[in-house]
Amino acid sequence: AQTVTQSQPEMSVQEAETVTLSCTYDTSESDYYLFWYKQPPSRQMILVIRQEAYKQQNATENRFSVNFQKAAKSFSLKISDSQLGDAAMYFCAYRSLEYGNKLVFGAGTILRVKS
Amino acid sequence: DAGVIQSPRHEVTEMGQEVTLRCKLISGHNSLFWYRQTMMRGLELLIYFNNNVPIDDSGMPEDRFSAKMPNASFSTLKIQPSEPRDSAVYFCASSFKGALSNQPQHFGDGTRLSIL
């Protein structure tokens, strides 16, 4: 079974600075998807960014980018120019292509943004 | 476009009562997922459907939980009888899965369930 580990329960960043959230996963599959979801206090689950494992190029979405290291099974999220609205719980998630469409989530990292 | 719609947003009920949570999928989506979020266990998949058919219900905690898709756009998650340990936020998510396409899941706003 696949597992996702987020080793940072909580992170802090100064407004306008850059922060990186860590995620590692365990799988024996060669093709899969990885996602970062954001959950603000309103508790919505918002998709931030996704990466297909077969793509070597790291995904980017505006101020959000990932560092995908397939051999190391690492998938970190970098947030540049942090804003107060970025404060939330961030979840890393794995989706298998072989075993259905379901997501396996990490425990989450709380991100605090200081003004 | 309307997103995934869940109701109710909050539910408070007494132990032993039947609870029904509802979810409307995004139009055109054919996969439906029910998740439960607690402080202790994080986000757990309870069950998911593809084209109205339950594919994996291994996450359903026990027989008190049941889920249905009476049609392609609507699902219910029922707990009967409810217990205090069922208190959690329950999320519904939908996506489109086709032969050549596999889209990300979109989540509803969740139902916060409190069993007294």
Side-chain angles (χ1 to χ4, degrees):
Chain A
Q2 294 86 16
T3 58
V4 177
T5 302
Q6 293 179 250
S7 58
Q8 306 154 317
E10 195 170 320
M11 292 283 284
S12 290
V13 64
Q14 199 69 36
E15 203 175 359
E17 298 293 310
T18 295
V19 65
T20 299
L21 307 184
S22 301
C23 173
T24 59
Y25 57 94
D26 188 24
T27 185
S28 58
E29 298 173 337
S30 60
D31 204 7
Y32 45 86
Y33 287 89
L34 295 163
F35 302 87
W36 280 97
Y37 280 88
K38 168 185 176 181
Q39 187 178 39
S42 64
R43 84 164 181 250
Q44 289 177 293
M45 290 288 287
I46 303 164
L47 177 65
V48 174
I49 198 165
R50 70 169 170 168
Q51 175 83 40
E52 291 91 339
Y54 66 87
K55 289 186 178 178
Q56 293 186 335
Q57 187 173 8
N58 290 324
T60 62
E61 286 287 341
N62 301 312
R63 297 182 296 106
F64 297 87
S65 62
V66 299
N67 184 4
F68 174 49
Q69 302 289 327
K70 191 172 183 179
K73 295 179 184 173
S74 170
F75 183 60
S76 60
L77 175 70
K78 185 170 86 170
I79 306 174
S80 304
D81 186 26
S82 297
Q83 301 175 359
L84 295 177
D86 296 333
M89 176 82 94
Y90 286 81
F91 292 97
C92 179
Y94 175 101
R95 189 174 81 194
S96 168
L97 292 181
E98 293 181 36
Y99 298 106
N101 224 9
K102 60 185 181 181
L103 289 171
V104 177
F105 285 93
T109 297
I110 297 172
L111 177 66
R112 303 192 193 281
V113 181
K114 302 175 186 175
S115 58
Chain B
D1 288 341
V4 175
I5 299 172
Q6 289 188 247
S7 64
R9 186 147 170 83
H10 305 277
E11 174 89 8
V12 180
T13 192
E14 291 189 347
M15 183 175 69
Q17 297 297 308
E18 177 179 289
V19 172
T20 300
L21 311 181
R22 297 174 174 80
C23 175
K24 186 176 187 303
L25 284 67
I26 291 173
S27 177
H29 283 189
N30 61 355
S31 294
L32 181 282
F33 307 80
W34 282 103
Y35 292 90
R36 179 171 68 176
Q37 185 178 29
T38 60
M39 288 291 292
M40 291 297 294
R41 300 174 67 90
L43 272 158
E44 305 173 278
L45 177 70
L46 299 177
I47 185 171
Y48 83 92
F49 295 82
N50 201 37
N51 294 320
N52 297 12
V53 176
I55 303 299
D56 184 351
D57 65 355
S58 59
M60 295 287 261
E62 46 198 275
D63 292 346
R64 297 184 298 106
F65 286 69
S66 63
K68 293 182 181 178
M69 282 197 74
N71 59 58
S73 61
F74 184 74
S75 176
T76 59
L77 177 67
K78 193 168 290 188
I79 308 172
Q80 167 63 17
S82 58
E83 297 182 4
R85 61 193 167 120
D86 302 331
S87 299
V89 178
Y90 290 81
F91 285 100
C92 171
S94 73
S95 70
F96 176 78
K97 186 178 189 309
L100 298 175
S101 174
N102 203 344
Q103 298 299 315
Q105 294 177 23
H106 296 266
F107 285 74
D109 288 345
T111 295
R112 180 176 295 281
L113 177 63
S114 299
I115 308 297
L116 306 177

